[in-house]
Structures are given as structure tokens and as C-alpha cells.
């Protein structure tokens, strides 16, 4: 898994590539927590390069969403492939996270 | 005709990708499409994460993964460990819901396993074997 964070003026774009499982989820979780602890509460998760996510990664997403929303921010998703979409549907997350096909649209949603 | 294959790995998180890839190849061989292959990999990933975190609790151990491939019919996955029995019924059931306030994170892994597979059967302290989890998915 590889993570990169691109800070814009008010929004951070977190790009996640590869696999998020129990081995790699702590790094994903720390990246999200790091932003939120610095008051960066508007997060776009760019899943263009995400191949796979397990419950460990889903927990990190949910925890970040709760913290962000409690602080008046949000976590939105962009460019989810069919595999990830199916996983999100299995756990009911498709109704909790706003999803976009276009990065600009996702950033503009804040 | 049934073809059987086995993979034995240390109970470590860095083996999860290898386990998923092994079972994914078996699922493709049975004839499953991409979405179902992903679900099967998820079920094995969640089951093995539970073995590592709850059965062995970080102590050294081994996970024995056996796949039984029945082409165009079904995939049987058997996971064996010698850790402390982990009773999934003691984990609160995960209930997907539409409100963020109501979502409880516990039980997500077990929920995914049961959603992904047609049959999930836990057996604990089987003499001469250990803990055995059998998961079946029909094509």
C-alpha cells in the first residue's frame, strides 16, 4: 500500500494505492488521524489506485468520518472501482460516504 | 473432480496478501467472476486476521489454508490454527445502517465473512487438528 497526501487550501486529497488490509491499515489510519488531529477535517479519499480494502481499512474510514463530521468536516470518496464498491455495499457504507467520479467535483463538494 | 491445494504460513499480518492471492487463484479456477473473487479473498483475509489477532494474539503460530476446487461448482476453504478458540458468537453482530451515529464498528469482519460465503462453520479444539473454520461458496 502507498499513501500520499496532497494538501489544498481547505481540503486534503489522500490517495491510497494497492491493498489496505490488517497489515497496512494502521498506516492508513495514522495518515487520517494525523490530518484530523491537525484540524484538517475536509478529506477526499482518492481510491483510483485502491485494489482492495478489508474491515481494518473500513474501520479507519468510519473512525475518520465520525471525527471529521463531529468537527464540521467530512470524508468523501472519489473513483471507486467495482470491487471496492461491492465491499462498501456489503457493510452498508455506500449510504454513509458521499461518492464522486471526478476529483474536482469531490473537492468542490466542500 | 476435486483438486486440493494447501498453503501453510506463519500467523503474521504480512502473510495476508499471500493468502488472499492463493485463494483468489483457486476461486478463479472454480469459475468465479471478479466481484465474487474479491468477496472470497475478503472472507479469508478477515478469518486469518481473526486467527492472528484473537487466536494467537500476536504469539508465533501457523495458519494452514486448504482449498478444494470443484470446477464450475464450488470452492471449499478450510483454515486450521492451534491458537486459543475464538468464538465469533461472542462478538456483537454488526448491523449495517444508514445513520452514522448508530453504526457500531465491532463484528465487521465476521459480518463480511458471512456475507461473502454461503456456509461458514467454526469448530474448536478438534482432536488432533485444533480450530477449524470451513467456508463454502457455490458458483
Amino acid at each position: 500500500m502507498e499513501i500520499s497526501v496532497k494538501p489544498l487550501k481547505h481540503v486534503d486529497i489522500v490517495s491510497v494505492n494497492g491493498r489496505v488490509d490488517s497489515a497496512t491499515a494502521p498506516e492508513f489510519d495514522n495518515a487520517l488521524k494525523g490530518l484530523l488531529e491537525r484540524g484538517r477535517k475536509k478529506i477526499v479519499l482518492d481510491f483510483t489506485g485502491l485494489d482492495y480494502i478489508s474491515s481494518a481499512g473500513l474501520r479507519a474510514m468510519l473512525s475518520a468520518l465520525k471525527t471529521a463530521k463531529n468537527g464540521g468536516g467530512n470524508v468523501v470518496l472519489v473513483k471507486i472501482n467495482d470491487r471496492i464498491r461491492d465491499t462498501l455495499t456489503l457493510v452498508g457504507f455506500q449510504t454513509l460516504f458521499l461518492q464522486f467520479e471526478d476529483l474536482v467535483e469531490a473537492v468542490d463538494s466542500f | 473432480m476435486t483438486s486440493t491445494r494447501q498453503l501453510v504460513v506463519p500467523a503474521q499480518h504480512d502473510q495476508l496478501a499471500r493468502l488472499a492471492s492463493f485463494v483468489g487463484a483457486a476461486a478463479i479456477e472454480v469459475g468465479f467472476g471478479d466481484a465474487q473473487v474479491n468477496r472470497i479473498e475478503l472472507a479469508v483475509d478477515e478469518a486469518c486476521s481473526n486467527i492472528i489477532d484473537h487466536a494467537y494474539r500476536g504469539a508465533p503460530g501457523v495458519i494452514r489454508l486448504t482449498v478444494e476446487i470443484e470446477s464450475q461448482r464450488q470452492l471449499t476453504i478450510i483454515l486450521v490454527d492451534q491458537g486459543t478458540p475464538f468464538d465469533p458468537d461472542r462478538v456483537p453482530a454488526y448491523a449495517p445502517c444508514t445513520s452514522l451515529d448508530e453504526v457500531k464498528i465491532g463484528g465487521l469482519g465476521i459480518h463480511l465473512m458471512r456475507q461473502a460465503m454461503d456456509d461458514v462453520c467454526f469448530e474448536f479444539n478438534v482432536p488432533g487438528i485444533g480450530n477449524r473454520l470451513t467456508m463454502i461458496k457455490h458458483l
Side-chain angles (χ1 to χ4, degrees):
Chain A
M1 183 199 68
E2 283 173 21
I3 292 187
S4 64
V5 180
K6 186 179 176 188
L8 304 180
K9 194 173 179 186
H10 300 294
V11 178
D12 289 273
I13 301 171
V14 179
S15 303
V16 191
N17 293 296
R19 285 177 59 86
V20 180
D21 60 19
S22 301
T24 54
E27 192 187 336
F28 177 51
D29 193 37
N30 286 340
L32 296 174
K33 284 203 167 85
L35 286 172
L36 292 161
E37 279 164 12
R38 285 188 284 117
R40 304 286 296 181
K41 295 168 291 196
K42 297 174 179 174
I43 298 172
V44 173
L45 288 178
D46 182 355
F47 281 169
T48 307
L50 183 66
D51 300 320
Y52 174 87
I53 189 160
S54 75
S55 68
L58 296 171
R59 277 188 212 103
M61 284 172 63
L62 191 59
S63 167
L65 180 67
K66 283 187 172 180
T67 308
K69 283 205 158 178
N70 283 340
N74 202 358
V75 178
V76 304
L77 315 179
V78 67
K79 293 193 175 173
I80 307 160
N81 71 28
D82 289 343
R83 277 183 156 221
I84 305 300
R85 194 181 309 282
D86 184 59
T87 304
L88 296 178
T89 306
L90 281 179
V91 294
F93 278 19
Q94 80 282 10
T95 54
L96 300 178
F97 289 88
L98 282 176
Q99 296 164 43
F100 299 92
E101 287 303 315
D102 182 73
L103 191 56
V104 175
E105 203 185 328
V107 171
D108 283 349
S109 72
F110 286 100
Chain B
M1 203 181 81
T2 304
S3 150
T4 301
R5 264 173 242 153
Q6 197 169 71
L7 177 69
V8 181
V9 298
Q12 296 167 188
H13 289 122
D14 61 6
Q15 298 294 321
L16 291 171
R18 192 177 164 201
L19 289 155
S21 157
F22 182 83
V23 86
I28 289 168
E29 213 173 308
V30 172
F32 288 106
D34 193 52
Q36 296 304 324
V37 171
N38 179 56
R39 288 185 176 203
I40 292 164
E41 288 184 13
L42 257 177
V44 169
D45 186 316
E46 299 298 340
C48 292
S49 295
N50 281 342
I51 292 172
I52 296 165
D53 296 334
H54 302 297
Y56 288 119
R57 297 172 189 170
V62 163
I63 297 175
R64 193 176 298 271
L65 167 64
T66 306
V67 291
E68 293 173 6
I69 301 158
E70 292 177 60
S71 186
Q72 298 305 314
R73 196 155 168 257
Q74 72 172 34
L75 177 66
T76 303
I77 296 161
I78 302 160
L79 283 161
V80 169
D81 70 83
Q82 278 75 42
T84 307
F86 165 69
D87 184 355
D89 290 337
R90 288 176 59 192
V91 178
Y94 174 76
C97 54
T98 51
S99 158
L100 187 58
D101 296 330
E102 291 170 22
V103 174
K104 293 188 175 55
I105 295 179
L108 204 50
I110 300 279
H111 172 79
L112 278 170
M113 286 162 60
R114 295 200 192 278
Q115 288 283 307
M117 304 300 291
D118 294 319
D119 289 305
V120 177
C121 172
F122 291 90
E123 298 166 279
F124 304 111
N125 295 324
V126 181
I129 293 175
N131 307 311
R132 181 169 58 197
L133 167 62
T134 306
M135 299 190 286
I136 297 171
K137 177 103 176 156
H138 308 291
L139 188 64

